[in-house]
Amino acid sequence: MQFDKQNSYEISDLIHSSKTAILPVGAVEAHGPHLPLGTDNLLAERLSNLLAKRVNGLVLPTLPYGQVWSLRDFPGSLTLSNQTLTQMIVEIGESLFQQGIRLFVIVNGHYGNAVALKEAARVLYDSFQKNRVMCMFYPGTKKIIEEVRESPSVHDSYFHACELETSYMLYLANEYVDMSRAIQDIPEIPAETDISPTPWSQFTKSAVLGDATKATYDKGEKIILAALDEMERMILKAKDDLGC
Amino acid sequence: MQFDKQNSYEISDLIHSSKTAILPVGAVEAHGPHLPLGTDNLLAERLSNLLAKRVNGLVLPTLPYGQVWSLRDFPGSLTLSNQTLTQMIVEIGESLFQQGIRLFVIVNGHYGNAVALKEAARVLYDSFQKNRVMCMFYPGTKKIIEEVRESPSVHDSYFHACELETSYMLYLANEYVDMSRAIQDIPEIPAETDISPTPWSQFTKSAVLGDATKATYDKGEKIILAALDEMERMILKAKDDLGC
Amino acid sequence: MQFDKQNSYEISDLIHSSKTAILPVGAVEAHGPHLPLGTDNLLAERLSNLLAKRVNGLVLPTLPYGQVWSLRDFPGSLTLSNQTLTQMIVEIGESLFQQGIRLFVIVNGHYGNAVALKEAARVLYDSFQKNRVMCMFYPGTKKIIEEVRESPSVHDSYFHACELETSYMLYLANEYVDMSRAIQDIPEIPAETDISPTPWSQFTKSAVLGDATKATYDKGEKIILAALDEMERMILKAKDDLGC
Amino acid sequence: MQFDKQNSYEISDLIHSSKTAILPVGAVEAHGPHLPLGTDNLLAERLSNLLAKRVNGLVLPTLPYGQVWSLRDFPGSLTLSNQTLTQMIVEIGESLFQQGIRLFVIVNGHYGNAVALKEAARVLYDSFQKNRVMCMFYPGTKKIIEEVRESPSVHDSYFHACELETSYMLYLANEYVDMSRAIQDIPEIPAETDISPTPWSQFTKSAVLGDATKATYDKGEKIILAALDEMERMILKAKDDLGC
Amino acid sequence: MQFDKQNSYEISDLIHSSKTAILPVGAVEAHGPHLPLGTDNLLAERLSNLLAKRVNGLVLPTLPYGQVWSLRDFPGSLTLSNQTLTQMIVEIGESLFQQGIRLFVIVNGHYGNAVALKEAARVLYDSFQKNRVMCMFYPGTKKIIEEVRESPSVHDSYFHACELETSYMLYLANEYVDMSRAIQDIPEIPAETDISPTPWSQFTKSAVLGDATKATYDKGEKIILAALDEMERMILKAKDDLGC
Amino acid sequence: MQFDKQNSYEISDLIHSSKTAILPVGAVEAHGPHLPLGTDNLLAERLSNLLAKRVNGLVLPTLPYGQVWSLRDFPGSLTLSNQTLTQMIVEIGESLFQQGIRLFVIVNGHYGNAVALKEAARVLYDSFQKNRVMCMFYPGTKKIIEEVRESPSVHDSYFHACELETSYMLYLANEYVDMSRAIQDIPEIPAETDISPTPWSQFTKSAVLGDATKATYDKGEKIILAALDEMERMILKAKDDLGC
C-alpha cells in the first residue's frame, strides 16, 4: 500500500488500521559497472514493498538522497551531511506521528546513512515516547550470509556492489543489473580506514568491494527473505508492545 | 535519461555532454478525493522527464517531501521546515556542481516549496557563480491559463487540486485521477490569509480550491506544453550563457 | 502613541488598553537619485504612525535593516540574511506577547522582507496560538493602483522607486524627495529573473524600476489611504476575533 | 551626516571620503518613572550624531532592540538573545565593509549589549583584518564621573536610570526627561547577583539603581563631552592606523 | 569527594546528601616562562577540591578547555568558541539536574570563560528555575587583593600570570611553579584594547601581565582563603534558599 | 610528556619535534559496583600516556565528558549531545593544527563517543588535508581478545564493565577497581536494541554487561599491549606518510 497513492479522504482510516509507516531511504552512489547509481534506492524501495505486505504497512515515497562520504569523489555520487539527513528524518517522523502513525519503520538501503538515521530515531524517541522508530538495514541475515557467500567479506561492517549486494539486486531489481559487466575487485582495506577519514578512492578504482561475479538470484532471495522474516518479526512484536 | 539508472562508469561522459541536471521536487499533501497525496511528486517527476528529452537533461530521483505548512493539518500531509528543505537542496546542488553539472534545474510541483528553493538557489549562487540554479514552477503559462480556464481562480498566487492542477494530472498522470470523485468547492479566502498565518482548514474542508470537475486532458496538455516550451527556452538560453 | 517614549510605570496600562503593537520594518537600500536610502524605513514608520491613530496601536521603534539581496551590490545597500531577520522578529514578538500584547502588526516597507516576516509569523503562530501576528505590505491597494497609475508596472510582484513608491513618499515623507532628480528608467526584466538568482544590477543601473516622474502627492494619498482603510479593517476584525 | 538620508548616487563618494560608519545600538527597557523605555536608543543616537560631526562619520539608523535579560520582566522591556544581536551586527558589518567602510564604530547605549557586540566584533575581525570594529560605551569617563557624581555607585560595572544616566539624558534628550518624577531608589545588590542569574526584580521595584534626583544637565554635559573626546581620539588614531 | 571516583551504586545517595556539584573549568593557555599552560586548570581544580570539603560538594572532572581568544596566537594556547563552551556547560548542567543535583557550582580558573559560562547559566536558569547555577571566579577577594598586592594592576578586569595568579599557584600548585624564571613584564595596555578586538600579542611578548617576581605563597594563601570563605558563604546561603 | 604541564616558552620546540598530539576522551558513566564512574577517563588517559612514550607524543588534558545516551538514566551518568562533542573536538583540532601539530590522535575510552569523534575527524579532514586525525578505540585487539576471554561477548560492537573492561582497569588503573564487588550479570540483549533507541535500563540493572569476575591484570596487559602495538604502528606509519 503506497501512502502517497492514497487520497486524503481515505488515508485516515488506513493510518488507523495500519499504524505503521515504512520509509525507504537510499542514496545516489557509485556501484561499479554492473549496478546503477540508484541501487540503494531500488533495494530499499522494493524491500519496503515486500515488507509492507507482510505487516500491513503504508509505504512512503523513497527518500533517494543519503550520506555518501566515503564514495563522494566517485562519478555520480551525491551526498548529504549527516546533520541534514537527520533533520529530514526527524521532520518526516514528526509529521507521521502527528498523523496518527505509531510505528515508523525506516528501511535503509545504504550503510552510510546508519549514523544519521540512528540520531534521528533518538531525537524522535525523546519527543514521542509512546511511539517507536525502527531503523532496519538487512537485520537477521548474519547466519544466512555465512552460509551462502562464496567470496570473502572485505570488511567487518560494510559491503558494497559485491556478491551480496549484487545478489540482492538480482532478486529485487533484476532488470537494472548487467551481470555481463560484473567484476571481481577485492581491495586491501588498511586498518587505518576505520581510524582516520579515508575516501574509498584510496583503495578501489571500481567501487566494487568484492566479487560481484559470484552474485546469484538465489543467494539474494535467501538473504532477503531472511531479512524480511526478521523485520516482520520485529515489527509485529513492536506493534504488540505498542498495543496497536 | 535517469541519472540514477546510469552507472558510475558512464555517468561522467553523460554529465559532460549534458551539463544539466533536473531535480523534481514535490510533496505529500492532501489533494481532495480525486487526486492522490503524491500529486505534486507525480507532476514534478513527469514534467521533468518530458523536459529532459527536450534539453538533453539528466533527471535526478524525485525529492518527494516538501514544505506543507498550509495543509499540514489535513489527513496524509507531511511537512518539512523551510530550513531543512533549503539545506537539502543546497547539499544536492553542491554535489552536482562538484560532479561537473553546470545547470541545476529544479522542477517544483508544489507551490509551498518556492521560498525554500529560492533560498537554496541564492546560497548556491554565492558559492558557484559560474554555474546556475533555476527553480521552475510552471513558467510561461499565464496567458494560456487565461485562455483555457473556465472556473475562476480563487487566489492570485496559488491553485490547488482544482481545474488547473487536475488538468495537469489528466495529461501527465491520468491513471491516478478519479474524475468520478472530482468536486467543485470554491472557498472564500479572506484577505487576512495573505497577512497572517492561516491554515487552509479555516476555509476549506476538501482541500480542493476551485472546480475540479472542469478539468480536462486537453487543458492540461495545452498548459503543460506551454510550460515545457518556456522551460526549454530558458534552459537553452542559460546553457548558451554558460557556454555549455 | 510611541511605545518607546512611554515609561515603565505607565506602559502596562497602555498595553492593556491597546493590546496592539505595530512594528515598522524597512531597509537601507538604493532608491535612485531622488529618494534616500532609508525610503522604506520612512514609509513603514509614517504609515505605522497613521495606522496607530486609527486602531489605538502602540508603535514600536522602526527596525531599519532588512533583507536586500536583489540590490545588495548597489551603493549604500545593507542587507541581512532571511534567517537573522526572522529570528529578530520572533524574539521581538515573544517579548511583546509576554508583555501582554495580543496583536502584533508588522508594517513592512520593503518587499524583500516579506519571506522572513512570514516565516517569523509562522514560528510565533505555533507558540502563541491565542495571539496573532499580521504582516502588512500595502494591503488592499490593488484596485486603486490600477485606477491611478499612469506608467506601466514592470513586474507582477514588486515595484521600486517608481511612480508608486515615489508617490507614497510624496504623501508620507515629502521632505526627503527630490522630484527634480526623478527619472524614468523602465527596465526589461527577463522572465529568468523570477526563476534564477538575479541581482538587479543585471537590468538596471539606476535602481529605479519605472517612471518616477509620474509620481504625485495625490496618487500617494489615494493609495496610502486605501491601504490604511484595509489595515484598519483587518486589525479591528482581528481584535474582535481575539476578544480584545 | 545620516547614512540613510543620502541617496545611492552620492553615497559612494561619501563612503570614500569618510570611511567611517557609526551605528547607534540601544534597547527598549524599563528606566523608571522619569525616563522613557527608549532611553538607551535616544542616548546612543544623539551621541552618535555629535560624534559624527567630530570625525566625519556616517551615522546609520539606530538599531533599537537589544539584549535586556536583567530587566526583561519589567513592563515594557523587549529583549533579544545575545546570539541574534551578534548575528545582526555581523551582517551589518559585512555589508558596510563590502560597501567600502573601513572603520565600523558601534555606539552602544545599553550595557547589556556589550557581550553580543564584542562577539560580533571578533567575528568580523577574523574576516576583515584590514578593517576595524570599535564598540564604544561611554569610554574615557571614569575620572570625570568620579569628580561629578554625588550619589554613590551601586555596582562596579553598570549604572541604570540613576544620577549618571539621567544626567546624560538631560544633556542629550532633555525633552524626554520628567525630573518631577525622578526618584532615589538605592538598592542593595547582593554579591550573588554577579555569580548567578538574577533578574533585577529581585532587588528593585523601580528599575532605578541610584539617585536620579541628583542628575543635572551640567553633569551630563561634562561626562558626555569627556566621552566624545575619548571617542574622537580613538577614532582618529584608528583611521591613522588604517591609513584612511 | 570526587564525583567520577564514585560508582553508580553509591552516587545516588551522595547526590542526595550533597545536592551540590562543583565543576572546575580552566583552559590551556600561555602563562609565561614560569607557569605551565595548564595553570588555569590546576587552579580551578584545586580550589574546587578545597571548596568541596567546606560545603560537602561533589567535584566533577575538570573541563580543561576554555575560550582563549586573546592569547590564541601564543604557543600552546588552545581555544574554544564561546558558543561551544556554553553548550557544553548547558548539557552538563542538564545531566546534573536530572541526576538530582540542585546547586551547580562552576569554579572558573580562566577569566576568558566568564561570558560563555554566564550565558550557560542563563539558559539553565530558564529551564530549571528551582535549581541554581553559580559561576565563581575568585569572588570576595577585592579587598584582600588591595591589601597584599605590591605591584600595580595592569587592567581593571583581568590579571594574568602576574603577582596574583602566580601567588595562587604557589599556594595551590607549588610544584608546577618555577619562580627562578618568574619575570616582571608590565605592559602598557592601550584603552583601545577594551573597545576593539585586540590580540594580546600587540602589547606583550611574554604573556605575563605584571610582576610575577612579587608572588609569594603567603599572598596566595590570603587571597585564596578569602575566596573560599566567600564561596562557602554564598553556597551555604544558596542551599538554604533552595531548602537543601 | 604532558602538553599542559609545559610552558609557552618551550612548547613550540616540543610541538616541532613531536608533531603529534594525543587527546584522551572518556565519559562519566555508570560502570557497575566495582568500577568508578570515571572508568573511561582513566583508561583513555593512562593508555594515552603509555602511547605517548612510544611515539614521542604530547598528551593533552583529558576531555572527561562524552556521549552517554544508552546509560544516561543510570545514577551518575552525564551526557553530551553528539553535536556538541563533535564541535568541541573540531575546535580543539583547529587550535592544534594552527599550533603546528600535524597528527591529532584521539584515544577514546568510551564506545558511545565514536560517532561524534568520527564526524569531527571528517570536518577537520576537509579543512586540513595535509594533517591527519586518528580516532582510536583499542584497535588491533580482536585476535588477542578471542584468545584470552573466558566469558562470552554479549554484543558484536560494544562491551561494558565486563571481563574485558575490568581487565583493562586492573592493568591500567588497578587502584580504582574493587574486585570484591565484581559481579557476573549477563543480559539478554534483544535484537531490537540495534534497531530502535533502547536505554540499557531495559535489559540491565547493574550496567555490567558480562562477567566482571573473570577479569585479570594479565588479560588486561595482553590486550592493552596489543592495542598499544597497533596504535604505535599506525601512528608511525602516519607520521611517515605526512613526512614528519
Side-chain angles (χ1 to χ4, degrees):
Chain A
M1 186 77 82
Q2 304 299 311
F3 189 98
D4 55 318
K5 297 303 183 299
Q6 314 309 314
N7 69 51
S8 61
Y9 280 54
E10 276 122 35
I11 193 70
S12 291
D13 284 349
L14 293 168
I15 289 173
H16 193 259
S17 68
S18 162
K19 302 288 191 198
T20 305
I22 302 176
L23 175 69
V25 182
V28 177
E29 183 187 38
H31 275 80
H34 65 299
L35 294 176
L37 295 164
T39 290
D40 297 340
N41 292 327
L42 288 161
L43 291 174
E45 188 164 310
R46 297 191 178 187
L47 193 53
S48 294
N49 291 341
L50 295 175
L51 180 62
K53 285 181 197 153
R54 292 176 172 225
V55 300
N56 183 28
L58 296 164
V59 181
L60 295 160
T62 300
L63 179 54
Y65 299 98
Q67 195 262 33
V68 186
W69 195 91
S70 299
L71 280 168
R72 67 180 176 176
D73 299 328
F74 275 64
S77 291
L78 306 178
T79 186
L80 299 181
S81 65
N82 273 328
Q83 197 174 8
T84 298
L85 181 53
T86 293
Q87 192 53 29
M88 190 96 179
I89 299 294
V90 167
E91 294 179 10
I92 292 171
E94 289 170 343
S95 280
L96 290 170
F97 291 149
Q98 282 156 9
Q99 291 279 346
I101 291 293
R102 301 286 312 282
L103 180 58
F104 176 21
V105 178
I106 302 169
V107 172
N108 180 21
H110 171 61
Y111 182 75
N113 292 338
V115 159
L117 300 182
K118 185 172 181 178
E119 188 81 10
R122 287 182 169 182
V123 172
L124 290 165
Y125 174 88
D126 281 340
S127 302
F128 299 92
Q129 297 214 7
K130 297 193 175 171
N131 297 331
R132 198 167 296 182
V133 184
M134 306 182 94
C135 305
M136 311 272 203
F137 184 69
Y138 305 108
T141 57
K142 193 176 171 185
K143 200 174 141 206
I144 185 72
I145 285 173
E146 281 168 10
E147 287 172 24
V148 304
R149 80 179 308 156
E150 295 177 90
S151 57
S153 170
V154 302
H155 192 273
D156 278 0
S157 306
Y158 48 76
F159 56 88
H160 192 75
C162 59
E163 181 186 357
L164 294 187
E165 196 172 28
T166 307
S167 295
Y168 302 170
M169 281 292 282
L170 286 172
Y171 178 61
L172 289 172
N174 181 55
E175 71 274 32
Y176 291 108
V177 187
D178 181 354
M179 280 304 286
S180 72
R181 300 184 67 188
I183 60 174
Q184 186 211 57
D185 184 11
I186 298 171
E188 288 198 37
I189 303 180
E192 281 81 355
T193 300
D194 295 340
I195 300 294
S196 194
T198 309
W200 287 8
S201 53
Q202 293 192 9
F203 53 77
T204 178
K205 290 272 177 288
S206 68
V208 173
L209 301 189
D211 187 354
T213 67
K214 291 282 190 299
T216 67
Y217 176 98
D218 193 53
K219 291 174 186 171
E221 181 179 42
K222 281 179 179 152
I223 302 172
I224 293 301
L225 291 181
L228 283 165
D229 287 349
E230 175 69 350
M231 291 193 276
E232 178 182 353
R233 184 192 68 73
M234 289 196 291
I235 288 170
L236 297 183
K237 180 170 184 317
K239 292 178 80 166
D240 197 52
D241 288 354
L242 297 171
C244 70
Chain B
M1 185 78 83
Q2 304 298 311
F3 190 95
D4 56 318
K5 296 303 183 301
Q6 314 309 314
N7 68 52
S8 61
Y9 280 53
E10 276 123 36
I11 193 70
S12 291
D13 283 350
L14 294 167
I15 289 173
H16 193 257
S17 68
S18 161
K19 302 289 190 197
T20 306
I22 302 175
L23 175 69
V25 182
V28 177
E29 184 187 37
H31 275 80
H34 65 301
L35 294 177
L37 295 165
T39 290
D40 297 340
N41 291 327
L42 288 161
L43 291 174
E45 188 164 308
R46 297 191 178 188
L47 193 53
S48 294
N49 290 341
L50 294 175
L51 179 62
K53 285 181 197 153
R54 292 175 173 226
V55 300
N56 183 30
L58 296 163
V59 180
L60 294 161
T62 300
L63 179 53
Y65 299 97
Q67 197 263 32
V68 186
W69 195 90
S70 300
L71 281 168
R72 66 180 177 176
D73 298 329
F74 275 65
S77 291
L78 306 178
T79 187
L80 299 180
S81 65
N82 273 328
Q83 196 173 10
T84 297
L85 181 53
T86 292
Q87 192 54 28
M88 190 95 176
I89 299 293
V90 167
E91 295 180 8
I92 293 171
E94 287 171 343
S95 279
L96 290 170
F97 289 150
Q98 282 156 11
Q99 292 278 348
I101 291 294
R102 301 286 311 282
L103 181 57
F104 175 22
V105 178
I106 302 169
V107 172
N108 180 21
H110 171 62
Y111 183 75
N113 293 337
V115 159
L117 300 182
K118 185 173 183 177
E119 188 81 11
R122 287 183 169 182
V123 172
L124 290 166
Y125 174 87
D126 280 340
S127 301
F128 299 92
Q129 297 213 5
K130 298 193 173 171
N131 297 330
R132 198 166 295 182
V133 184
M134 307 182 93
C135 306
M136 312 272 203
F137 184 70
Y138 307 107
T141 57
K142 194 176 170 184
K143 202 176 140 206
I144 185 72
I145 286 173
E146 280 168 11
E147 288 173 24
V148 304
R149 79 178 310 156
E150 295 176 271
S151 57
S153 170
V154 301
H155 192 273
D156 278 0
S157 306
Y158 48 76
F159 55 88
H160 192 76
C162 59
E163 179 186 359
L164 293 188
E165 197 172 27
T166 307
S167 295
Y168 302 170
M169 280 292 283
L170 287 172
Y171 178 61
L172 289 172
N174 181 54
E175 71 273 32
Y176 291 107
V177 187
D178 180 355
M179 281 304 287
S180 72
R181 301 184 65 187
I183 61 175
Q184 188 211 57
D185 184 12
I186 298 172
E188 286 198 40
I189 303 180
E192 282 81 355
T193 300
D194 295 339
I195 300 293
S196 195
T198 310
W200 287 7
S201 53
Q202 295 192 6
F203 53 77
T204 178
K205 289 272 178 289
S206 70
V208 173
L209 302 189
D211 187 353
T213 67
K214 290 283 191 301
T216 67
Y217 175 99
D218 193 52
K219 292 174 186 170
E221 181 178 42
K222 281 180 180 151
I223 301 171
I224 293 300
L225 289 182
L228 282 165
D229 287 348
E230 176 68 349
M231 291 194 274
E232 178 182 353
R233 185 193 66 74
M234 289 198 288
I235 288 170
L236 296 183
K237 180 168 182 319
K239 291 178 82 165
D240 197 52
D241 289 355
L242 298 171
C244 69
Chain C
M1 186 77 83
Q2 304 299 312
F3 190 97
D4 55 318
K5 296 304 183 300
Q6 313 309 313
N7 69 53
S8 60
Y9 280 54
E10 276 122 35
I11 193 70
S12 292
D13 283 350
L14 293 168
I15 288 172
H16 193 257
S17 68
S18 162
K19 302 287 190 197
T20 306
I22 302 176
L23 175 69
V25 183
V28 177
E29 183 187 37
H31 275 80
H34 65 301
L35 294 177
L37 296 165
T39 290
D40 298 340
N41 292 327
L42 288 161
L43 292 173
E45 189 165 308
R46 297 192 179 185
L47 193 53
S48 294
N49 291 341
L50 294 175
L51 179 61
K53 286 182 197 150
R54 293 175 172 227
V55 300
N56 182 28
L58 297 163
V59 181
L60 295 161
T62 301
L63 179 53
Y65 300 97
Q67 197 262 32
V68 186
W69 195 91
S70 300
L71 280 169
R72 66 179 176 177
D73 300 327
F74 275 64
S77 292
L78 305 178
T79 187
L80 299 180
S81 65
N82 273 328
Q83 196 173 10
T84 298
L85 181 53
T86 294
Q87 191 55 28
M88 190 96 178
I89 300 293
V90 167
E91 295 179 8
I92 292 172
E94 289 170 343
S95 279
L96 290 170
F97 290 149
Q98 282 156 10
Q99 291 279 348
I101 291 294
R102 301 287 312 283
L103 180 57
F104 176 21
V105 178
I106 302 169
V107 172
N108 180 21
H110 171 61
Y111 183 75
N113 292 337
V115 159
L117 300 182
K118 185 173 181 176
E119 188 80 11
R122 287 182 169 182
V123 172
L124 289 166
Y125 174 87
D126 281 340
S127 302
F128 299 91
Q129 296 213 7
K130 297 195 173 170
N131 297 331
R132 197 167 297 182
V133 184
M134 307 184 93
C135 306
M136 312 272 203
F137 184 70
Y138 306 107
T141 58
K142 194 176 169 185
K143 200 175 143 208
I144 185 72
I145 285 173
E146 280 168 10
E147 288 172 25
V148 304
R149 79 179 308 156
E150 295 176 272
S151 57
S153 170
V154 301
H155 192 273
D156 279 0
S157 306
Y158 48 77
F159 56 88
H160 192 75
C162 60
E163 180 185 357
L164 294 187
E165 196 172 28
T166 307
S167 296
Y168 302 170
M169 280 293 281
L170 287 172
Y171 178 61
L172 289 172
N174 181 55
E175 71 273 33
Y176 292 107
V177 187
D178 180 355
M179 280 304 286
S180 73
R181 300 184 67 186
I183 60 174
Q184 186 210 58
D185 184 11
I186 298 171
E188 288 198 38
I189 303 180
E192 281 81 356
T193 299
D194 294 339
I195 300 293
S196 194
T198 308
W200 287 6
S201 54
Q202 294 193 8
F203 53 77
T204 178
K205 290 272 178 289
S206 69
V208 173
L209 302 189
D211 187 353
T213 66
K214 291 283 191 298
T216 67
Y217 175 98
D218 193 53
K219 292 174 186 170
E221 182 179 41
K222 281 180 180 151
I223 302 172
I224 293 301
L225 291 182
L228 281 166
D229 287 348
E230 175 69 351
M231 291 193 275
E232 179 182 352
R233 185 194 66 75
M234 290 197 288
I235 288 170
L236 296 183
K237 179 170 183 317
K239 290 178 82 165
D240 197 52
D241 289 355
L242 298 172
C244 68
Chain D
M1 184 78 82
Q2 303 299 312
F3 190 97
D4 55 318
K5 296 304 183 301
Q6 314 308 314
N7 70 52
S8 62
Y9 279 55
E10 277 123 34
I11 194 69
S12 292
D13 284 349
L14 294 168
I15 289 172
H16 193 258
S17 67
S18 162
K19 302 289 190 198
T20 305
I22 302 175
L23 175 69
V25 182
V28 177
E29 183 187 37
H31 274 81
H34 65 302
L35 294 177
L37 295 165
T39 290
D40 298 340
N41 292 327
L42 289 161
L43 291 174
E45 188 163 309
R46 297 192 177 185
L47 193 53
S48 294
N49 291 342
L50 294 175
L51 179 62
K53 285 180 197 153
R54 292 175 172 226
V55 300
N56 183 28
L58 297 163
V59 180
L60 295 160
T62 301
L63 179 54
Y65 299 97
Q67 195 263 33
V68 186
W69 195 90
S70 299
L71 280 168
R72 65 180 178 177
D73 299 328
F74 274 65
S77 291
L78 305 178
T79 186
L80 299 181
S81 66
N82 273 327
Q83 196 173 10
T84 298
L85 180 53
T86 293
Q87 192 54 28
M88 190 95 177
I89 299 292
V90 167
E91 294 180 9
I92 292 171
E94 288 170 344
S95 280
L96 290 170
F97 290 150
Q98 282 156 10
Q99 292 278 348
I101 291 294
R102 301 287 310 284
L103 181 57
F104 176 21
V105 178
I106 302 169
V107 172
N108 179 22
H110 171 61
Y111 183 75
N113 292 337
V115 159
L117 300 182
K118 185 172 182 178
E119 188 81 9
R122 287 183 168 180
V123 172
L124 289 166
Y125 174 88
D126 281 340
S127 302
F128 300 91
Q129 298 214 4
K130 297 193 175 171
N131 297 331
R132 198 166 295 181
V133 184
M134 306 182 94
C135 306
M136 311 274 202
F137 183 70
Y138 306 107
T141 57
K142 193 175 170 186
K143 202 176 140 206
I144 186 72
I145 286 173
E146 282 168 9
E147 288 172 24
V148 304
R149 80 178 309 157
E150 295 177 270
S151 57
S153 170
V154 302
H155 192 273
D156 279 359
S157 306
Y158 47 76
F159 56 89
H160 191 77
C162 60
E163 179 186 357
L164 294 187
E165 196 171 28
T166 307
S167 295
Y168 302 170
M169 281 292 283
L170 286 172
Y171 179 60
L172 290 171
N174 181 55
E175 71 274 31
Y176 292 108
V177 187
D178 181 354
M179 280 304 287
S180 73
R181 300 184 66 188
I183 60 174
Q184 187 211 57
D185 183 11
I186 298 172
E188 288 197 40
I189 304 180
E192 281 81 355
T193 300
D194 295 339
I195 301 293
S196 194
T198 308
W200 287 7
S201 53
Q202 295 193 6
F203 53 77
T204 178
K205 290 269 176 293
S206 68
V208 174
L209 301 189
D211 187 352
T213 67
K214 292 280 190 301
T216 68
Y217 176 97
D218 192 52
K219 290 174 187 171
E221 181 179 42
K222 281 180 180 150
I223 301 172
I224 293 300
L225 290 182
L228 281 166
D229 287 348
E230 175 68 350
M231 291 193 276
E232 178 183 352
R233 185 193 67 74
M234 289 197 289
I235 289 170
L236 296 183
K237 181 171 181 317
K239 290 178 82 165
D240 197 52
D241 288 355
L242 298 172
C244 68
Chain E
M1 186 77 81
Q2 304 299 311
F3 189 96
D4 54 319
K5 296 303 182 301
Q6 313 309 314
N7 68 52
S8 61
Y9 280 54
E10 276 123 35
I11 193 70
S12 291
D13 283 350
L14 294 167
I15 289 172
H16 192 257
S17 67
S18 162
K19 302 288 190 198
T20 305
I22 301 175
L23 176 69
V25 182
V28 177
E29 183 187 38
H31 275 79
H34 65 302
L35 294 177
L37 295 165
T39 290
D40 297 340
N41 292 326
L42 288 161
L43 292 174
E45 188 164 310
R46 297 191 178 186
L47 194 53
S48 294
N49 291 341
L50 294 175
L51 179 61
K53 285 181 196 152
R54 292 175 173 228
V55 300
N56 183 28
L58 296 164
V59 181
L60 294 160
T62 301
L63 179 53
Y65 299 97
Q67 196 262 34
V68 186
W69 194 91
S70 299
L71 280 168
R72 66 179 177 176
D73 298 328
F74 274 63
S77 290
L78 305 178
T79 186
L80 299 180
S81 65
N82 273 328
Q83 197 173 8
T84 298
L85 181 53
T86 294
Q87 193 53 30
M88 190 97 178
I89 299 294
V90 167
E91 295 180 9
I92 292 171
E94 289 170 343
S95 281
L96 290 170
F97 290 149
Q98 282 156 11
Q99 291 278 346
I101 291 293
R102 301 285 311 283
L103 180 58
F104 175 21
V105 178
I106 302 170
V107 172
N108 179 21
H110 171 63
Y111 183 75
N113 292 337
V115 159
L117 300 182
K118 186 173 181 178
E119 189 79 12
R122 287 183 169 180
V123 172
L124 289 166
Y125 174 87
D126 281 341
S127 302
F128 298 92
Q129 297 213 7
K130 297 194 175 171
N131 297 331
R132 197 166 298 181
V133 184
M134 306 182 93
C135 306
M136 312 272 201
F137 184 70
Y138 306 108
T141 58
K142 193 176 171 185
K143 199 175 143 207
I144 185 72
I145 285 173
E146 281 168 9
E147 288 172 24
V148 305
R149 81 178 309 157
E150 295 177 271
S151 56
S153 170
V154 302
H155 193 273
D156 279 359
S157 306
Y158 47 78
F159 55 87
H160 191 75
C162 60
E163 181 186 357
L164 294 187
E165 195 171 28
T166 307
S167 295
Y168 302 170
M169 280 293 281
L170 286 172
Y171 178 61
L172 290 172
N174 181 56
E175 72 273 33
Y176 291 108
V177 187
D178 180 355
M179 280 303 287
S180 72
R181 301 183 67 186
I183 60 174
Q184 187 210 57
D185 184 11
I186 299 172
E188 288 197 39
I189 303 180
E192 282 81 356
T193 300
D194 294 340
I195 300 294
S196 193
T198 309
W200 287 7
S201 54
Q202 293 191 11
F203 53 77
T204 178
K205 290 271 176 290
S206 69
V208 174
L209 301 190
D211 187 354
T213 68
K214 291 283 191 299
T216 66
Y217 175 97
D218 193 54
K219 291 175 187 171
E221 181 178 42
K222 282 180 180 152
I223 302 172
I224 293 301
L225 290 182
L228 282 166
D229 287 348
E230 175 69 350
M231 291 194 275
E232 179 183 351
R233 185 192 68 74
M234 290 197 289
I235 288 170
L236 296 182
K237 179 170 183 317
K239 290 178 82 167
D240 197 53
D241 288 355
L242 298 171
C244 69
Chain F
M1 184 78 83
Q2 304 298 312
F3 190 97
D4 55 319
K5 296 304 183 301
Q6 314 309 312
N7 68 53
S8 62
Y9 279 54
E10 276 123 36
I11 193 70
S12 292
D13 283 350
L14 293 168
I15 289 172
H16 193 258
S17 67
S18 162
K19 302 289 189 196
T20 306
I22 302 176
L23 175 69
V25 182
V28 176
E29 183 187 37
H31 275 80
H34 65 301
L35 294 177
L37 295 165
T39 290
D40 298 341
N41 292 327
L42 288 162
L43 291 174
E45 188 163 309
R46 297 192 178 186
L47 194 52
S48 294
N49 290 342
L50 294 175
L51 179 62
K53 285 182 195 152
R54 292 176 173 226
V55 299
N56 183 29
L58 296 163
V59 181
L60 295 161
T62 300
L63 179 53
Y65 299 97
Q67 196 263 32
V68 186
W69 195 91
S70 300
L71 280 169
R72 66 179 177 177
D73 299 329
F74 274 65
S77 292
L78 305 178
T79 186
L80 298 181
S81 66
N82 273 328
Q83 197 173 9
T84 297
L85 181 54
T86 292
Q87 192 54 28
M88 190 95 176
I89 299 292
V90 167
E91 294 179 9
I92 293 172
E94 288 170 344
S95 280
L96 290 170
F97 290 151
Q98 282 156 10
Q99 291 278 348
I101 291 293
R102 302 286 311 284
L103 181 58
F104 176 21
V105 178
I106 302 169
V107 172
N108 179 21
H110 172 61
Y111 183 74
N113 292 337
V115 159
L117 300 182
K118 185 173 181 178
E119 188 81 9
R122 286 183 169 181
V123 172
L124 289 166
Y125 174 88
D126 281 340
S127 301
F128 299 91
Q129 297 213 5
K130 296 193 175 172
N131 297 331
R132 197 166 296 181
V133 184
M134 306 183 94
C135 306
M136 312 273 202
F137 184 69
Y138 306 107
T141 57
K142 192 176 173 185
K143 201 176 141 206
I144 186 71
I145 285 173
E146 281 168 9
E147 287 172 24
V148 304
R149 79 179 309 157
E150 295 176 271
S151 57
S153 170
V154 302
H155 192 274
D156 279 359
S157 307
Y158 48 76
F159 56 88
H160 192 75
C162 60
E163 179 186 359
L164 293 187
E165 196 172 27
T166 308
S167 295
Y168 302 171
M169 280 292 281
L170 286 172
Y171 179 60
L172 289 171
N174 181 56
E175 72 273 32
Y176 292 107
V177 187
D178 180 355
M179 281 303 287
S180 72
R181 300 183 66 187
I183 59 173
Q184 188 210 56
D185 184 11
I186 298 172
E188 287 198 40
I189 303 180
E192 280 81 355
T193 300
D194 295 338
I195 300 294
S196 195
T198 309
W200 287 7
S201 53
Q202 294 193 6
F203 53 77
T204 178
K205 289 271 177 291
S206 69
V208 173
L209 301 189
D211 187 352
T213 67
K214 290 282 191 299
T216 66
Y217 176 97
D218 193 52
K219 290 174 187 170
E221 181 179 43
K222 281 180 181 152
I223 301 171
I224 294 301
L225 290 182
L228 281 166
D229 287 347
E230 175 67 351
M231 290 194 276
E232 179 183 352
R233 185 193 67 73
M234 290 197 290
I235 288 170
L236 296 183
K237 181 170 181 316
K239 291 178 80 166
D240 197 51
D241 288 356
L242 298 171
C244 70

